[in-house]
Amino acid sequence: MMLDHVATALREALVRVEAASSTAELRAAETELLGKRGPFAQFKAQLGALASPADKRDGGRALNEATQRVSAALAARRADLAAAERAIQLEAERLDLTEVRIAPRRGHAHIVTQAWERLEDVFIGLGFQVAEGPEVETDWYNFEALNTPPNHPARSEHDTFYLDYGTPGSTLLRTHTSPVQIRVMQTLTPPIYMVMPGRVFRNETADATHLAVFHQIEGLVVDRGITLAHLAGTIEAFTKAFFGDGFTSRLRPSYFPFTEPSGEFDIRTPRGDWLEIGGCGMVHPNVIRAGGLDPEEWSGFAFGFGIDRMAKERHGVGDVREMYSNDLRFLEQF
Amino acid sequence: MKIVHSWLTDLVPVGDDVPAIAETLTDLGLTVDGIDEVGATVDGVITARVLRAESHPDAAKIHRVFVDTGDGRERHVWCGAFNMRAGDVVPLATPGTVMPDGRRIEPKPILSIASDGMLCSARELGLGDDHAGILILPEGTRLGVPYGEALGLHRETVYDLDVTRNLPDCFGHRGVARQLGARLGVAVVDQPDVDGLFHEGRVAPVEIVAGERCGRFTTFVITGVRVGASPDWIASRLTAAGMRPINNVVDVSNYVMLECNQPNHAYDLDTLGGGGFRIRLAGDGEQLTTLDGAVHTLTGDDLLICDAHDTPIGLAGIMGGLDTEISEATTTIALEIAWFEPIGVAVSARRRGLRSEASLRFERGVDPGNGIPSAAARFVELLRLTCPDLRCEGAADETAGATRPGHREIHTSAARINARLGTELSAEEMAALIRPLGMPTTVEASGAMVVLPPSYRPDILETVDVAEEVARQYGYGRIGRAVPNSTMHGRLSVVQARRRQLRQVLLGLGISEAMPNPFLAEHDLARAGLDGPVVRIVNSLVADESVLRTSLRPGLLKAVAFNQSHRRSGARLYEIGHVYPPGDGELPDEHEMLGVVLAGEPAPAAVDVWRQLVAAMGFGARLDQSVVPPGLHPTRAATLTLGKQVIGVVGEVHPDVLDASGIDDRVAVVELDLSVLLTQEPKVPTWKPTSRFPSSDLDLAFVTPDSVIAEKVDKAIRQAAGTLLVDLALFDVYRGPGVPDGSRSLAYRLRLQAPDRTLTEVDVAAVRDRAETALRKLGASLRG
């Protein structure tokens, strides 16, 4: 008799669980079905009144089984409802992520700085350190120590800015980074493997390819037994490291007062074009001497070229003046 | 320097493979910047004589011209120019001719009358800019021949060479021929014999007064001169080299200069005062009118060539006087060839603003030695082509004390040169490379070498110079390539690495890098509210760029204004750059600064940037609002101090400065002295164990008088809370109802934690009490 009631209650309970359409309803159903006043609790209370031990045992077993089945059904239904409700919630939270228009908060490094740092990195990889020097220089460091005495004709090619500082003609804005060579030799004991990037000045009217204020990087090696072949090898290594494996370099004779022999170096693009890059040469014995070193003991090479030019070529800038316009429309392109 | 191919190959027969020659020249350091074809003529244009011209009643702007091309047939052309007369010889483009501009000449009828070709202007034939009328050819020109042939135009190939200063002889064709011949193993043709130059007879005597500036001055008296036209080939080569043919004497003079690199001058001896020369310095204020008509007031540093009566006739080494040109009547000349001290010429030419073909060469150094008689012999040889009765009479050759490059032996060795170049050449191989350059070299078995540089190579003084000539001839490309083994460790210095880190932090804050001009106009600093001494540029080309900046601010404010004018009002920019205030030492007090401008943002934005930099870079400095930095907002700015040193400012630009700069909105600024801050190495943090015990938060709001700065309140709370305080946050600042005027409520959250136990309410209450007591001393009271 009781078993029939339990079976009926179980059927009804399972229907009830299945019918719950929300977790709230399910919670209510759970309380009603399995709570103290629920049908199974009542059956359990009636168990004690049963006479036959066999009936007690069978009834207890049936009750256990029923409550377990109800619990399992509740858990399954709960999971289903939770999943459905989570699905509704997720759908309700849908966002169009392409609507997001928060302006990127990233500054733009100047392309000259970018080129400058790339060049430094390449030379650091070749075992060089980086030296810097003042932009305002004495005539001695900028010219005389570089084997360019007063009235040397090469001076007239430099279009120098002179400053009203100290005795007239003694102070100027450096026309190249080469004075740092002298400062490095004066302060360091060889071996010296240094690059010297920096700002330089020429007193000329700016146009699309020339500026009065621009940037150069200079290299200086002073060691025992340094030869022109070492210069050529270093230029080639730099060419490959900076421009890429498809590029090669060449040296051809040129003239600078501070190097002897002197050269220009060009690089050849994979397409076969030659680009003139910069000047180089074996440091002149007079320059080694000006640096406080003995040219019989130490020899070296130096090279230099424009950083702005590297930036200009890399990004195809048509007019170098625009690089210094400080126009955000320019700066933010890079 | 223009080098004419036919001229060059006359001197050194190396064939006509122009691209190969150009490549070899470039490889020798005689960089070929371009190759031009000049003297090209237009096919189909022939010479014709004008018979007569007739106007047509229906044509006002053109007329009918009848010409004869020598075949007796009368040809008719329409012509829009009226400058020709009957008998003139003119160029006629016959039908079918394609003009250089691509036009094809057709017998197109006008008013039903056909035109049998077109008469040409100089410009139409590529002979110059003259388009005012039809080109009138010289009288007596043959008819019916190509005009190029009639004019003696030769097609010439011209190399545009970039000749470096150390190769002065290569400012002449012969020097270039010498380098090329040495590389290709082809001998250069000999100079003419100088023996015929020196005869008894009339002499143009020379007195060198200024011996320190004039090392040699040589004159040759030449008679039997007849002034006329030059041979075609001389005129053609001079034209190709960029010089205008004038007459046979002047042309030969120029030809010798362009070939031998010996500037020279031919004077009419019959009009030369006193028939001789005096070389002396000018008197201060002495005047001279040069060939170009300019009047120069001279100084005691200018060197003059005077006649024997001491009348100036030329600025030595630079330009002749106005009255020294030979005339058509000249029959006897004094040819002068000299050596002037190069720097003196350079300085004088620069001061006078005069540059000439002669000064260009003297500045670099011409041959003071055998080149002088050789050039004279070449002059005679060439002038004799048009003056068969030419005769050399006496020569005067004066030398003086100026230091002339001469025969100074260089003692060196193959080992020294190989050590410079990284080559393994023998002394004999080296000698073979440089001997053809006119450098006699003796070689010993030991490898020792004695090199005698020629007098036309003043640059060759020591071993390294010989090494360069060896390398030049051997070919830089044949020298091996070896990477030296750097024994240094490639790396950035602390300052350089920290500068890069600083850039990355700034970029991460959305601040872009500007590079304003370091030069300012005189008023820029004052406009930015900054003053103080500056360093000025003496020779600035632009008045707006005559002062070296002492602050990055004016440049950055200009950038803000510029961007605002292009509708970009919120510029966030930084610059890392040098400023150059005057200092006490040999050089100005140049140092590196960081400048940041945040357009459209108030002072707190600047403080935020500073605090971000403190956090990221470990910068340390005290923010002191009691001192107002110049040019900044008086109540919204602070100096940053480190000890007693001011290392920066933070705040907002003064509204007056904004007005003066044309900026509409607030601008927040941060400026830091990187010469101090980047050298500060940040402390390496030492480990503190993290507590396993729970923390407690305590919120306290203090009503604090405005006169007490928040930093002071922070400090008081920290002291009161002691070691239990692990974090302190000011999370709200409130002014308004409930808080008395002149005060504000500062709300702090204190996070308390002990390393070894769970805090009790007693602990927290104790902190609260201590804080309240401490704050009361500052005049602040716990709120609510």
Side-chain angles (χ1 to χ4, degrees):
Chain A
M1 188 62 196
M2 185 173 183
L3 293 181
D4 293 343
H5 289 306
V6 170
T8 307
L10 175 60
R11 264 197 313 276
E12 285 170 2
L14 292 178
V15 169
R16 179 82 195 277
V17 167
E18 239 8 75
S21 62
S22 70
T23 46
E25 269 183 54
L26 193 66
R27 254 195 313 278
E30 184 175 9
T31 315
E32 256 175 58
L33 294 170
L34 299 180
K36 286 176 188 161
R37 286 188 217 140
F40 301 105
Q42 286 175 22
F43 289 136
K44 197 172 181 183
Q46 291 164 19
L47 267 183
L50 289 177
S52 131
D55 282 354
K56 275 186 187 171
R57 190 188 61 224
D58 292 348
R61 193 176 290 157
L63 260 182
N64 262 343
E65 203 174 302
T67 51
Q68 272 167 22
R69 284 188 60 190
V70 171
S71 293
L74 279 165
R77 185 63 185 155
R78 194 179 297 117
D80 286 352
L81 284 173
E85 281 171 19
R86 176 55 54 92
I88 289 163
Q89 176 212 346
L90 293 180
E91 184 53 35
E93 287 177 0
R94 176 175 293 280
L95 287 180
D96 174 1
L97 296 183
T98 69
E99 282 171 4
V100 179
R101 293 303 150 84
I102 301 162
R105 192 175 153 93
R106 182 182 72 87
H108 298 261
H110 198 281
I111 54 172
V112 168
T113 303
Q114 294 182 32
W116 174 316
E117 293 186 353
R118 287 180 65 231
L119 289 165
E120 282 180 343
D121 290 343
V122 164
F123 283 110
I124 287 168
L126 295 172
F128 284 70
Q129 292 184 10
V130 181
E132 295 163 24
E135 294 167 8
V136 175
E137 265 296 5
T138 62
D139 181 272
W140 190 83
Y141 278 103
N142 195 72
F143 287 124
E144 213 164 330
L146 292 162
N147 202 29
T148 316
N151 285 324
H152 190 287
R155 287 188 174 212
S156 63
E157 287 154 20
H158 273 231
D159 297 317
T160 310
F161 282 112
Y162 286 95
L163 303 175
D164 68 339
Y165 199 79
T167 53
S170 67
T171 316
L172 46 80
L173 288 163
R174 66 179 177 191
T175 57
H176 45 188
T177 40
S178 307
V180 190
Q181 285 186 26
I182 305 295
R183 292 183 178 276
V184 163
M185 283 190 274
Q186 285 178 334
T187 48
L188 296 183
T189 313
I192 293 168
Y193 290 79
M194 283 287 192
V195 286
M196 295 148 268
R199 180 172 272 181
V200 298
F201 306 83
R202 295 282 169 94
N203 192 1
E204 39 191 58
T205 308
D207 61 29
T209 54
H210 296 86
L211 292 164
V213 182
F214 55 103
H215 302 83
Q216 283 183 346
I217 186 164
E218 182 104 2
L220 174 71
V221 166
V222 179
D223 206 340
R224 288 194 172 86
I226 294 295
T227 69
L228 189 60
H230 289 132
L231 169 59
T234 302
I235 296 286
E236 180 70 7
F238 159 72
T239 301
K240 295 267 190 280
F242 187 75
F243 293 99
D245 284 335
F247 291 78
T248 54
S249 64
R250 77 170 173 201
L251 262 55
R252 54 195 165 81
S254 188
Y255 169 73
F256 304 101
F258 31 92
T259 47
E260 191 82 34
S262 299
E264 295 278 345
F265 67 97
D266 306 333
I267 61 155
R268 188 169 174 274
T269 69
R271 280 185 315 173
D273 306 325
W274 285 102
L275 296 179
E276 292 181 22
I277 301 294
C280 60
M282 298 299 295
V283 182
H284 197 286
N286 291 347
V287 175
I288 299 263
R289 252 175 240 122
L293 301 174
D294 178 2
E296 293 298 321
E297 183 178 4
W298 303 105
S299 60
F301 64 74
F303 55 86
F305 53 93
I307 298 175
D308 306 63
R309 164 91 188 286
M310 297 293 143
K312 176 180 184 289
E313 297 290 333
R314 180 174 169 85
H315 301 287
V317 178
D319 188 330
V320 288
R321 285 170 295 192
E322 201 168 315
M323 300 199 327
Y324 295 94
S325 62
N326 301 310
D327 188 333
L328 284 167
R329 296 168 302 173
F330 176 85
L331 297 173
E332 289 173 357
Q333 290 175 37
F334 308 102
Chain B
M1 177 67 196
K2 289 191 188 304
I3 294 293
V4 182
H5 174 77
S6 66
W7 195 341
L8 180 68
T9 50
D10 268 5
L11 295 170
V12 60
V14 293
D16 292 316
D17 185 346
V18 169
I21 291 171
E23 206 170 297
T24 306
L25 289 170
T26 296
D27 196 53
L28 284 164
L30 294 160
T31 309
V32 177
D33 285 337
I35 300 172
D36 295 318
E37 297 289 338
V38 300
T41 57
V42 184
D43 288 342
V45 181
I46 58 172
T47 54
R49 180 190 290 116
V50 176
L51 298 172
R52 66 182 191 285
E54 287 177 8
S55 58
H56 187 283
D58 295 335
K61 291 184 175 168
I62 52 174
H63 63 154
R64 305 179 63 188
V65 181
F66 296 86
V67 298
D68 169 20
T69 58
D71 59 2
R73 191 164 71 86
E74 190 176 273
R75 297 183 192 224
H76 160 260
V77 289
W78 285 103
C79 185
F82 294 82
N83 64 318
M84 73 294 286
R85 291 172 308 172
D88 285 347
V89 179
V90 292
L92 170 71
T94 55
T97 299
V98 179
M99 300 301 288
D101 62 5
R103 254 185 317 159
R104 194 183 167 83
I105 304 301
E106 308 278 7
K108 196 174 60 179
I110 296 173
L111 298 169
S112 304
I113 306 167
S115 190
D116 203 5
M118 181 188 83
L119 304 184
C120 305
S121 72
R123 194 169 80 188
E124 283 168 329
L125 296 174
L127 291 175
D129 292 333
D130 193 355
H131 193 53
I134 298 305
L135 174 65
I136 310 290
L137 300 170
E139 226 174 295
T141 302
R142 281 188 299 138
L143 300 183
V145 298
Y147 74 101
E149 188 184 318
L151 281 174
L153 290 181
H154 297 239
R155 192 182 275 262
E156 301 279 8
T157 302
V158 181
Y159 305 97
D160 187 5
L161 289 198
D162 182 6
V163 181
T164 52
R165 282 195 173 274
N166 56 333
L167 299 176
D169 62 324
C170 289
F171 276 83
H173 281 69
R174 181 165 279 278
V176 175
R178 193 155 40 219
Q179 287 285 349
L180 190 61
R183 169 64 76 84
L184 299 176
V186 179
V188 177
V189 300
D190 288 338
Q191 305 249 45
D193 196 0
V194 300
D195 290 347
L197 281 174
F198 304 98
H199 290 276
E200 294 301 308
R202 199 168 161 193
V203 172
V206 175
E207 184 193 354
I208 301 177
V209 180
E212 72 285 1
R213 293 280 297 275
C214 175
R216 188 170 178 188
F217 198 98
T218 311
T219 65
F220 302 88
V221 173
I222 299 167
T223 59
V225 174
R226 270 174 45 203
V227 176
S230 284
D232 287 351
W233 61 272
I234 289 186
S236 173
R237 285 179 180 176
L238 288 177
T239 307
M243 297 199 95
R244 195 164 52 93
I246 295 175
N247 61 46
N248 55 344
V249 179
V250 174
D251 293 352
V252 165
S253 170
N254 285 331
Y255 195 96
V256 167
M257 175 175 71
L258 296 183
E259 180 169 300
C260 309
N261 193 42
Q262 294 284 0
N264 60 87
H265 197 92
Y267 295 86
D268 185 330
L269 189 55
D270 295 325
T271 60
L272 180 68
F277 298 92
R278 246 184 135 239
I279 307 7
R280 65 164 171 87
L281 292 173
D284 272 326
E286 193 168 0
Q287 291 203 323
L288 176 73
T289 306
T290 42
L291 268 178
D292 56 358
V295 180
H296 298 275
T297 304
L298 306 175
T299 74
D301 287 336
D302 295 313
L303 187 67
L304 287 175
I305 298 175
C306 303
D307 64 18
H309 296 147
D310 208 31
T311 305
I313 53 175
L315 202 48
I318 302 173
M319 197 173 279
L322 188 57
D323 303 321
T324 61
E325 294 244 55
I326 58 149
S327 72
E328 286 189 14
T330 300
T331 57
T332 302
I333 59 173
L335 172 68
E336 163 259 299
I337 311 180
W339 184 90
F340 300 112
E341 192 275 316
I343 288 173
V345 174
V347 171
S348 186
R350 205 177 318 146
R351 190 174 42 232
R352 301 267 76 86
L354 275 178
R355 290 200 75 202
S356 63
E357 292 285 337
S359 71
L360 178 89
R361 290 174 170 79
F362 282 119
E363 276 183 26
R364 285 162 173 77
V366 302
D367 185 357
N370 290 336
I372 288 180
S374 291
R378 183 66 169 146
F379 182 95
V380 168
E381 182 180 59
L382 290 171
L383 191 56
R384 193 164 269 145
L385 296 174
T386 50
C387 307
D389 303 330
L390 200 74
R391 201 186 115 73
C392 293
E393 298 214 354
D397 188 3
E398 294 298 326
T399 54
T403 317
R404 283 172 283 141
H407 298 274
R408 214 165 44 196
E409 289 178 342
I410 298 169
H411 293 261
T412 183
S413 70
R416 284 168 64 88
I417 292 172
N418 281 327
R420 193 80 180 160
L421 301 180
T423 47
E424 290 175 359
L425 297 169
S426 70
E428 197 44 64
E429 284 170 317
M430 292 182 187
L433 288 168
I434 60 174
R435 278 186 189 125
L437 299 173
M439 298 170 71
T441 303
T442 56
V443 170
E444 286 170 28
S446 65
M449 300 165 68
V450 180
V451 181
L452 188 61
S455 52
Y456 48 78
R457 287 297 303 273
D459 61 300
I460 298 181
L461 301 170
E462 54 183 308
T463 295
V464 291
D465 304 313
V466 177
E468 182 172 79
E469 287 315 294
V470 169
R472 181 196 309 283
Q473 283 300 328
Y474 184 63
Y476 279 22
R478 291 172 67 195
I479 287 168
R481 290 174 172 184
V483 178
N485 287 323
S486 166
T487 46
M488 285 180 94
H489 305 286
R491 59 158 186 252
L492 293 174
S493 70
V494 170
V495 167
Q496 290 155 357
R498 277 171 62 70
R499 186 190 292 132
R500 284 200 185 188
Q501 186 193 354
L502 173 62
R503 275 208 187 92
Q504 290 308 317
V505 174
L506 291 162
L507 295 174
L509 294 171
I511 307 171
S512 290
E513 186 178 20
M515 283 200 186
N517 195 332
F519 304 156
L520 300 175
E522 195 76 38
H523 58 254
D524 283 337
L525 284 162
R527 186 177 282 170
L530 302 167
D531 46 21
V534 293
V535 177
R536 287 186 180 77
I537 298 171
V538 175
N539 57 339
S540 174
L541 294 176
V542 197
D544 275 358
E545 301 177 358
S546 59
V547 171
L548 298 191
R549 65 183 176 191
T550 55
S551 163
L552 304 183
R553 207 183 303 156
L556 286 168
L557 290 179
K558 277 187 198 176
V560 167
F562 175 87
N563 282 295
Q564 176 193 279
S565 73
H566 290 84
R567 308 186 60 227
R568 293 295 303 270
S569 48
R572 294 165 67 87
L573 295 170
Y574 79 84
E575 181 188 9
I576 294 175
H578 292 201
V579 297
Y580 324 84
D584 303 327
E586 189 181 28
L587 290 174
D589 180 23
E590 177 179 343
H591 58 278
E592 189 175 47
M593 295 287 295
L594 165 69
V596 177
V597 285
L598 309 167
E601 297 181 54
V607 178
D608 179 41
V609 167
W610 161 244
R611 295 180 62 87
Q612 299 276 1
L613 296 180
V614 169
M617 301 293 300
F619 289 163
R622 205 168 67 82
L623 194 146
D624 179 1
Q625 210 172 335
S626 67
V627 182
V628 179
L632 295 190
H633 194 303
T635 60
R636 290 184 163 207
T639 50
L640 297 166
T641 56
L642 198 62
K644 284 185 178 163
Q645 196 179 7
V646 173
I647 55 94
V649 300
V650 61
E652 214 172 288
V653 174
H654 197 294
D656 289 349
V657 173
L658 294 176
D659 289 348
S661 309
I663 297 171
D664 297 340
D665 208 347
R666 294 177 188 276
V667 176
V669 294
V670 181
E671 287 168 5
L672 302 177
D673 186 340
L674 297 185
S675 67
V676 176
L677 289 174
L678 290 184
T679 51
Q680 280 185 339
E681 286 214 52
K683 265 193 226 144
V684 179
T686 40
W687 177 66
K688 286 194 285 286
T690 48
S691 172
R692 292 182 293 110
F693 296 91
S695 60
S696 300
D697 284 354
L698 171 63
D699 288 359
L700 298 173
F702 294 99
V703 175
T704 317
D706 287 340
S707 57
V708 178
I709 62 172
E711 192 184 33
K712 223 168 178 179
V713 177
D714 296 358
K715 212 169 165 184
I717 294 174
R718 283 181 198 287
Q719 267 177 6
T723 55
L724 291 181
L725 183 71
V726 291
D727 192 40
L728 177 69
L730 172 63
F731 67 88
D732 189 39
V733 178
Y734 172 76
R735 287 182 173 82
V739 175
D741 278 354
S743 292
R744 79 285 200 207
S745 162
L746 301 173
Y748 287 89
R749 173 161 299 162
L750 293 74
R751 176 157 291 184
L752 306 173
Q753 194 175 28
D756 52 355
R757 63 196 166 89
T758 303
L759 293 181
T760 62
E761 286 189 10
V762 177
D763 293 319
V764 176
V767 168
R768 179 196 165 103
D769 291 346
R770 286 204 300 275
E772 189 179 2
T773 311
L775 268 291
R776 200 178 299 124
K777 285 182 194 152
L778 292 177
S781 57
L782 201 56
R783 189 173 176 222

